[in-house]
């Protein structure tokens, strides 16, 4: 088997230490235990990614950070005796076994029990005992325990586990009304019948099945609120009766949709994948109608600002700078450098060419912030033309980031670890200087100054983004979507009070995060911010599919593959629409003709999200969320 020691060490530094795990014994255990040994052979190459992975019996192995977080929160000592509930692959028990004297672990799946015992034997981990049984009842024969770790989520803390703690013992367990939205809870036994409780944050675990947990027949993933009043078949029939069929993308009658959009200032058009032609074609079709019939002047997309600027200059027939780096060559090229986008930009160029007033033309803009070094190049190019001394100052300031041009994410790692000074003061000072000279610069060429100022703003936000990405997903996600929203509002303000914008982005960005499990993780998105800012003048249209194909990669930076999309989960919105019998349709939910449509669909269901990466083998863990 390949030697993964370097990947293991990097995982500890970037996923654990960088997020605040400091317990030396926990870090040593995670450096020692070979996680690749505890996953199926075909997933060994993914063993040290920051994600859970599927294992046998339909279960998962937790991401390394969660294993470390739980172990650290138990405040373990070398002589402790620990009970581990939910053996799974055995990885969590193995980590605990490197820290304490004895580990007793319970697993309800007999297949996993046998595999875990064999792994412990092969690795020489002799201080771990495995029981095939109901973990919610614990292992009373070996009680009391100094600590108990539960690697599955239940509706409440199982009482038998509390009783098997010794005085002073600690218990860690995910608790919540759904298997997809849980709080990690720490209980400390302070007396015979007294316990203290701490909430350690939102997590997601498989359901805790057993006498003191969920039953096999329950569906906790759908129990956030009231149960569905009608069975899925009735819901599908309701959708069929009220949805507007779409027989063909190019010929679809969009008048009802345009009437409902009315005078909305911002229309956000989603996608369930980044690589399905039909989503791009339908989005382009709706956008053409909004531009031609409702005078929308902004198309703002989930793309990098400098790359989109190439398309914008072409579409508005503006001066195109000398040839440099081609647009949209950063991974993934297929997301914007595709035939559907090319055809739309050609249409936009033709439409703009028919307008005599340049101020009425529609621009094509990027909202995202990944183009750190392309934006630096754009600012330098602008300043060298309009203010050479300022260009020289900018070159020195941005030079702080030069060592990380090939891999900006490593800059964040270095800055966070203290091995490299953060570049924040330099990039912020450059942005402030540029904005202070806005009057002088914008008089020469307003459009070009807006472009340069946005690039400088992007550099400052991107620098911060790469620094915070190692703290956790919520902070970096929020920074990115806040940047996209701020860019959108900047464009609306720049184009004047009559400006109207169409946004193209993934459903996870343009849907309202407050209506999904994202909000429980402390995340917001551009759709949520638009709802707050524009109220009913923000009109959101989501896209979805049951099955088909998608252009996606297996790993970040990997080659494009055409992958078959699995039929949607039985408890998902996508399956309901598929079961309605319409090959394609549009369902209005803001003010439906029949209120029952919205009322029946308001109960939580699963929604699928496929981005640049698609891994069908981990679909439930990585491509579905509660909505």
């Amino acid at each position: 088997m390949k030697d993964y020691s370097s990947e293991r060490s990097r995982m500890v530094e970037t996923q654990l230490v960088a997020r605040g795990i400091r317990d030396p014994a926990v870090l040593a255990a995670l450096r020692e235990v070979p996680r690749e040994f505890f996953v199926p052979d075909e997933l060994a190459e993914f063993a040290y990614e920051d994600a859970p992975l599927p294992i046998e019996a339909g279960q998962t192995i937790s991401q390394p950070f969660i294993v470390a977080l739980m172990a650290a929160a138990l405040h373990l000592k070398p002589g402790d005796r620990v009970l581990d509930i939910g053996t799974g692959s055995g990885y969590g028990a193995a980590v605990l076994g490197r820290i304490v004297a004895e580990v007793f672990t319970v697993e309800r799946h007999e297949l996993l029990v046998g595999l875990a015992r064999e792994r412990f034997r092969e690795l020489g981990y002799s201080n771990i005992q495995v029981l095939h049984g109901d973990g919610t009842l614990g292992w009373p024969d070996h009680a009391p325990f100094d600590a108990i770790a539960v690697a599955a989520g239940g509706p409440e803390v199982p009482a038998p586990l509390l009783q098997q703690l010794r005085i002073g013992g600690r218990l860690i367990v995910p608790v919540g009304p759904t298997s997809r939205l849980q709080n990690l809870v720490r209980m400390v036994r302070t007396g015979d019948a007294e316990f203290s409780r701490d909430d350690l944050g939102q997590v997601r675990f498989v359901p805790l099945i057993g006498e003191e947990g969920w039953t096999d027949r329950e569906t906790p993933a759908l129990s956030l609120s009231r149960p569905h009043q009608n069975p899925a078949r009735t819901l599908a029939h309701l959708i069929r009766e009220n949805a507007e069929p779409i027989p063909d993308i190019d010929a679809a009658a969009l008048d009802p949709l345009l009437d409902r959009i009315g005078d909305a200032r911002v229309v956000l058009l989603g996608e369930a994948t980044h690589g399905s032609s039909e989503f791009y074609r339908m989005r382009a079709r709706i956008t053409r109608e909004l531009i031609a019939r409702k005078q929308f002047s902004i198309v703002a997309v989930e793309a990098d600002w400098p790359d989109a600027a190439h398309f914008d200059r072409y579409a508005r027939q503006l001066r195109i700078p000398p040839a440099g780096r081609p647009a949209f060559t950063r991974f993934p090229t297929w997301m914007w450098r595709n035939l559907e986008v090319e055809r739309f930009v050609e249409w936009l160029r033709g439409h703009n060419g028919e307008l005599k007033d340049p101020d009425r033309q529609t621009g094509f803009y990027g909202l995202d912030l990944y183009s750190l070094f392309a934006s630096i190049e754009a600012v330098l190019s602008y300043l060298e033309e309009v203010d050479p001394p300022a260009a020289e100052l900018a070159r020195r300031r941005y030079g702080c980031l030069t060592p990380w041009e090939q891999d900006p994410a490593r800059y964040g790692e270095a800055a966070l670890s203290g091995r490299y000074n953060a570049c924040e003061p330099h990039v912020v000072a450059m942005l402030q200087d540029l904005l202070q000279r806005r009057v002088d610069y914008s008089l020469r060429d307003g459009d070009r100054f807006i472009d340069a100022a946005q690039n400088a703003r992007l550099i400052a936000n991107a620098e911060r983004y790469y620094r915070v990405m190692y703290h956790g997903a919520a902070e970096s996600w929020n920074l990115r979507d806040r940047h996209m929203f701020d860019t959108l509002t900047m464009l609306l303000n720049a184009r004047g009070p009559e400006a109207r914008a169409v946004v193209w982005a993934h459903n996870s960005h343009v849907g309202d995060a407050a209506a999904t499990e994202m909000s429980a993780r402390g995340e917001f998105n551009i759709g949520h911010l638009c709802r707050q800012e524009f109220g009913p003048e923000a009109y959101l249209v989501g896209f979805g599919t049951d099955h088909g194909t998608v252009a996606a990669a297996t790993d970040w930076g990997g080659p494009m593959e055409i992958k078959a999309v699995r039929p949607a989960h039985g408890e998902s919105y996508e399956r309901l629409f598929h079961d309605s019998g319409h090959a394609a349709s549009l369902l209005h939910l803001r003010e439906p003709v029949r209120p029952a449509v919205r009322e029946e669909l308001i109960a939580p269901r699963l929604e699928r999200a496929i981005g640049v990466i698609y891994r069908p083998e981990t679909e439930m863990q990585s491509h579905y969320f509660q909505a």
Side-chain angles (χ1 to χ4, degrees):
M1 180 178 281
K2 173 185 171 182
D3 182 5
Y4 287 91
S5 56
S6 60
E7 287 92 337
R8 196 175 307 127
S9 295
R10 186 165 188 271
M11 175 270 290
V12 170
E13 294 301 318
T14 61
Q15 297 177 31
L16 309 186
V17 176
R19 288 179 178 165
I21 302 295
R22 296 288 182 264
D23 189 313
V26 172
L27 295 176
L30 270 292
R31 286 192 182 97
E32 178 184 346
V33 177
R35 191 171 187 249
E36 70 276 10
F37 204 78
F38 292 86
V39 301
D41 291 343
E42 66 272 16
L43 296 180
E45 62 181 298
F46 309 125
Y48 295 100
E49 293 193 3
D50 186 21
L53 293 172
I55 59 172
E56 299 81 3
Q59 301 301 295
T60 61
I61 176 175
S62 297
Q63 69 191 97
F65 173 71
I66 291 295
V67 174
L69 177 68
M70 293 178 70
L74 286 171
H75 302 302
L76 300 170
K77 299 181 290 294
D80 281 349
R81 302 171 71 253
V82 176
L83 175 63
D84 173 60
I85 303 302
T87 312
S89 69
Y91 179 66
V95 169
L96 295 171
R98 300 301 87 197
I99 303 171
V100 302
E102 292 181 281
V103 176
F104 302 87
T105 181
V106 184
E107 171 57 52
R108 72 186 185 93
H109 292 284
E110 190 171 6
L111 171 63
L112 297 181
V113 170
L115 291 171
R117 283 174 176 160
E118 181 63 19
R119 287 169 180 145
F120 297 148
R121 186 190 64 77
E122 290 188 31
L123 290 169
Y125 293 175
S126 58
N127 63 335
I128 305 173
Q129 295 187 47
V130 189
L131 172 69
H132 176 221
D134 182 351
T136 68
L137 302 179
W139 199 339
D141 292 348
H142 294 283
F145 300 101
D146 299 289
I148 300 176
V150 184
E156 57 190 22
V157 180
L161 301 185
L162 291 172
Q163 296 308 313
Q164 291 174 39
L165 279 177
R166 68 171 70 252
I167 303 297
R170 293 82 58 199
L171 164 68
I172 296 284
V173 57
V175 175
T178 161
S179 64
R180 300 183 68 85
L181 286 176
Q182 305 147 349
N183 273 321
L184 192 61
V185 172
R186 176 172 56 201
M187 306 291 294
V188 178
R189 188 168 192 174
T190 56
D192 287 340
E194 291 82 38
F195 300 87
S196 65
R197 172 173 175 148
D198 296 311
D199 285 343
L200 304 181
Q202 292 285 337
V203 290
R204 182 194 297 178
F205 280 81
V206 296
L208 178 63
I209 305 296
E211 185 175 326
E212 298 289 328
W214 302 106
T215 71
D216 280 316
R217 292 184 300 277
E218 288 179 299
T219 54
L222 302 177
S223 63
L224 268 174
S225 61
R226 63 177 176 82
H228 302 293
Q229 292 180 348
N230 290 334
R233 184 175 300 175
T234 304
L235 272 173
H237 184 71
L238 197 61
I239 291 172
R240 179 174 181 81
E241 290 181 337
N242 290 273
E244 299 163 6
I246 300 176
D248 178 78
I249 290 174
D250 295 323
L254 295 180
D255 288 354
L257 173 63
L258 296 178
D259 289 343
R260 290 192 292 265
I261 288 173
D263 295 327
R265 194 171 187 206
V266 178
V267 175
L268 300 99
L269 304 178
E271 61 188 9
T273 80
H274 281 323
S276 293
S277 173
E278 292 84 356
F279 295 150
Y280 284 76
R281 288 172 55 210
M282 193 69 205
R283 212 160 45 177
R285 171 78 203 289
I286 295 171
T287 303
R288 292 198 304 268
E289 298 291 332
L290 291 172
I291 293 170
R293 296 165 58 177
K294 290 183 174 287
Q295 292 75 54
F296 275 66
S297 56
I298 296 166
V299 179
V301 305
E302 184 189 339
D304 291 331
W305 176 274
D307 292 302
H310 285 266
F311 286 13
D312 177 58
R313 285 189 284 266
Y314 177 78
R316 291 199 283 154
Q317 302 181 36
L318 301 174
R319 181 176 71 88
I320 297 178
R325 182 182 62 87
F328 298 114
T329 55
R330 184 184 70 83
F331 176 82
T333 55
W334 65 87
M335 187 171 168
W336 298 111
R337 201 177 177 90
N338 59 56
L339 185 61
E340 291 77 11
V341 173
E342 178 189 359
R343 286 173 174 167
F344 174 78
V345 173
E346 288 290 352
W347 176 89
L348 189 58
R349 178 180 172 88
H351 171 81
N352 285 336
E354 296 175 1
L355 302 175
K356 295 180 180 179
D357 183 0
D359 291 337
R360 293 180 56 212
Q361 292 184 342
T362 298
F364 188 91
Y365 307 96
L367 297 175
D368 225 330
L369 51 53
Y370 287 120
S371 59
L372 180 57
F373 290 96
S375 291
I376 289 175
E377 182 181 314
V379 172
L380 294 176
S381 176
Y382 171 76
L383 290 175
E384 283 168 355
E385 190 172 324
V386 302
D387 193 343
E392 183 57 34
L393 176 61
R395 196 177 300 279
R396 291 199 301 272
R397 283 173 168 167
Y398 290 150
C400 174
L401 291 162
T402 301
W404 318 103
E405 184 166 0
Q406 298 304 314
D407 189 357
R410 297 301 296 274
Y411 158 71
E413 179 187 349
L416 190 65
S417 68
R419 297 193 299 268
Y420 190 79
N421 291 330
C423 299
E424 181 181 21
H426 305 289
V427 297
V428 170
M430 196 62 243
L431 172 60
Q432 291 171 339
D433 283 359
L434 197 64
L435 295 179
Q436 285 170 1
R437 301 178 191 181
R438 61 162 55 91
V439 175
D440 180 36
Y441 288 161
S442 61
L443 286 175
R444 308 181 199 188
D445 187 338
D447 274 345
R448 291 199 65 212
F449 170 73
I450 289 174
D451 179 67
Q454 177 59 20
N455 275 303
R457 186 177 293 107
L458 187 153
I459 295 164
N461 285 342
E463 183 275 337
R464 184 179 171 213
Y465 173 82
Y466 286 117
R467 274 190 293 112
V468 306
M469 65 185 295
Y470 286 100
H471 286 295
E475 188 175 359
S476 57
W477 174 277
N478 289 348
L479 193 155
R480 183 182 172 209
D481 270 61
R482 171 64 70 178
H483 173 86
M484 289 200 281
F485 174 75
D486 289 345
T487 301
L488 175 64
T489 55
M490 179 275 293
L491 288 168
L492 288 166
N493 292 334
R495 295 300 299 265
E498 301 301 316
R500 306 173 77 184
V502 185
V503 175
W504 292 3
H506 197 280
N507 287 343
S508 57
H509 292 292
V510 303
D512 190 340
T516 77
E517 67 182 63
M518 292 169 62
S519 62
R521 300 195 298 264
E523 296 173 351
F524 54 75
N525 61 5
I526 189 172
H528 178 68
L529 295 173
C530 282
R531 281 270 179 87
Q532 288 185 319
E533 178 69 19
F534 302 109
E537 290 191 329
Y539 198 93
L540 283 55
V541 182
F543 290 62
T545 188
D546 174 82
H547 63 275
T549 58
V550 62
T554 299
D555 300 295
W556 188 263
M560 185 190 85
E561 304 171 53
I562 303 300
K563 299 192 174 195
V565 176
R566 288 184 172 182
H569 190 280
E571 300 292 348
S572 68
Y573 287 107
E574 290 85 353
R575 177 60 65 83
L576 281 179
F577 278 80
H578 175 73
D579 291 346
S580 74
H582 287 307
S585 63
L586 180 66
L587 183 67
H588 181 49
L589 290 172
R590 180 177 287 185
E591 295 175 355
V593 176
R594 293 175 62 184
V597 175
R598 190 174 186 278
E599 291 170 5
E600 291 304 322
L601 288 175
I602 209 72
R605 286 186 172 269
L606 299 177
E607 180 180 348
R608 180 159 54 190
I610 298 173
V612 173
I613 307 300
Y614 181 46
R615 294 176 179 163
E617 66 276 6
T618 65
E619 192 170 64
M620 270 304 294
Q621 290 75 37
S622 54
H623 297 294
Y624 278 99
F625 60 95
Q626 195 92 38

